[in-house]
Amino acid sequence: MMDKTFSQWKQQCLSKVDLSKKGSVDQDIEHIVTLLNGLEQFFTTSSCSGRIIIIDTAAPGDSDVQKQNCIWLFVSHQKCTADDLVSALDRSSKDAVLKFEPFVLHVQCRKLEDAQLVHSVAINSGFRNSGLTVGKTGKIIMAVRSTHGLEVPLSHEGKLLVGQDYLHFLAQLANQKMEENLRRINRFYQNLQSALTTEKLQLQDPPDTQEPQHTIGQQGTTKEELSKTGVYKRRRRRDHPQADCCDGDGDSDVQELYGPLDLLILGGGDGGTSSPPV
């Protein structure tokens, strides 16, 4: 029954009109979205490859709703120049803010184990703010997120608060973050392909022919080897109370399942649609 429901959700989502500002999947992540949507156990609900933006907003405490009064002065999914920033700020009449927003991807997964696989790939690829939620209707959403964003106020009531040198510095900083963002996107795609291949091979192998799985800390076993071999299979051997997470008939209450367990299995460490895109 759940497989049938998931298929219906997927068909409905992928047949919707893309209502994002751009109206299509960002080019730098189109291969990831295509890969996931081509698999029966996944479909993407929203995504953004990462962007540099300048928005004009109402001052803090303004009685108006800021989002409704937000004016987009500049947006780019690629690198920017200082001249781009200067040109955008010339049109500011409120409080202009420069932001770098890294890659984000939301994937609905058929089973909890499928979401855990994507979560492990995301953590290994540098997206350490990733996590998943399970709704009462059984919807399992995996969010791939990073923490290396940037947000800097630049003007107040239309008056520029910084000099030209600082704008050049911000352009360089935002571009560096965009470069790192693209490197992580490439790692995510490569690691996802590897994990899916490993998963497929493990499902095909009879239980009595599979080689013993190494445990963390065993001599000669590296974190890289774990990420390419037994991590996902060992995760399936853990008991997860899926029924408790999926009971109910609404989506308003979700249960956060961020991964202390996943970080432990992967050894921890430091680190840094169809859509519609956001």
Side-chain angles (χ1 to χ4, degrees):
M1 179 64 69
M2 278 303 299
D3 285 343
K4 182 179 180 180
T5 302
F6 180 83
S7 298
Q8 292 173 344
W9 285 335
K10 181 172 183 176
Q11 183 179 7
Q12 291 172 359
C13 181
L14 298 186
S15 61
K16 288 181 180 178
V17 176
D18 191 331
L19 298 177
S20 65
K21 287 181 177 293
K22 187 170 181 289
S24 62
V25 179
D26 295 336
Q27 183 177 358
D28 287 327
I29 57 172
E30 189 173 3
H31 55 311
I32 296 176
V33 171
T34 300
L35 173 62
L36 289 169
N37 288 333
L39 299 169
E40 63 178 5
Q41 67 268 43
F42 303 111
F43 65 91
T44 61
T45 61
S46 65
S47 69
C48 178
S49 64
R51 61 192 181 186
I52 300 170
I53 62 175
I54 296 181
I55 55 175
D56 223 11
T57 65
D62 195 297
S63 58
D64 294 330
V65 178
Q66 287 194 17
K67 189 172 183 179
Q68 293 179 347
N69 290 328
C70 172
I71 299 174
W72 292 63
L73 301 176
F74 174 77
V75 57
S76 175
H77 295 275
Q78 305 296 327
K79 293 182 181 180
C80 69
T81 66
D83 290 340
D84 292 329
L85 306 187
V86 172
S87 177
L89 291 170
D90 285 342
R91 302 193 302 276
S92 172
S93 61
K94 299 180 180 179
D95 289 10
V97 178
L98 179 142
K99 295 184 179 183
F100 170 75
E101 297 177 339
F103 169 61
V104 62
L105 176 70
H106 293 92
V107 185
Q108 188 164 334
C109 307
R110 183 181 57 185
K111 296 180 180 180
L112 183 60
E113 292 90 343
D114 300 322
Q116 289 173 322
L117 185 149
V118 179
H119 182 258
S120 296
V121 170
I123 296 297
N124 261 355
S125 304
F127 296 100
R128 307 236 172 226
N129 198 31
S130 299
L132 59 100
T133 58
V134 181
K136 288 185 177 181
T137 60
K139 290 185 178 180
I140 304 171
I141 304 294
M142 171 61 212
V144 181
R145 297 181 297 233
S146 186
T147 58
H148 71 297
L150 177 69
E151 182 170 348
V152 183
L154 297 178
S155 70
H156 178 58
E157 296 180 349
K159 181 180 179 180
L160 188 63
L161 301 176
V162 299
Q164 297 295 319
D165 290 344
Y166 189 65
L167 290 177
H168 279 82
F169 168 76
L170 284 180
Q172 293 176 355
L173 182 59
N175 289 338
Q176 290 171 2
K177 288 182 175 290
M178 181 65 79
E179 290 174 355
E180 173 59 24
N181 181 65
L182 293 175
R183 284 193 290 268
R184 295 186 188 189
I185 288 174
N186 291 333
R187 282 202 302 270
F188 178 80
Y189 180 65
Q190 294 168 1
N191 290 342
L192 180 61
Q193 284 184 310
S194 177
L196 291 170
T197 300
T198 301
E199 183 81 357
K200 184 177 180 180
L201 291 174
Q202 289 176 343
L203 292 175
Q204 289 175 347
D205 287 342
D208 57 351
T209 63
Q210 294 178 356
E211 297 181 359
Q213 299 294 328
H214 296 290
T215 59
I216 295 178
Q218 184 171 348
Q219 186 174 2
T221 303
T222 65
K223 285 187 289 186
E224 290 75 16
E225 290 172 333
L226 285 172
S227 67
K228 294 180 181 179
T229 54
V231 172
Y232 312 112
K233 182 171 183 181
R234 284 198 304 282
R235 193 188 307 283
R236 279 169 168 66
R237 294 176 179 173
R238 296 180 180 269
D239 293 327
H240 292 282
Q242 295 185 45
D244 294 339
C245 296
C246 300
D247 286 343
D249 55 1
D251 283 330
S252 58
D253 296 327
V254 293
Q255 199 175 115
E256 289 291 339
L257 296 176
Y258 292 101
L261 178 59
D262 299 286
L263 293 174
L264 176 61
I265 292 176
L266 294 170
D270 299 326
T273 72
S274 139
S275 319
V278 294

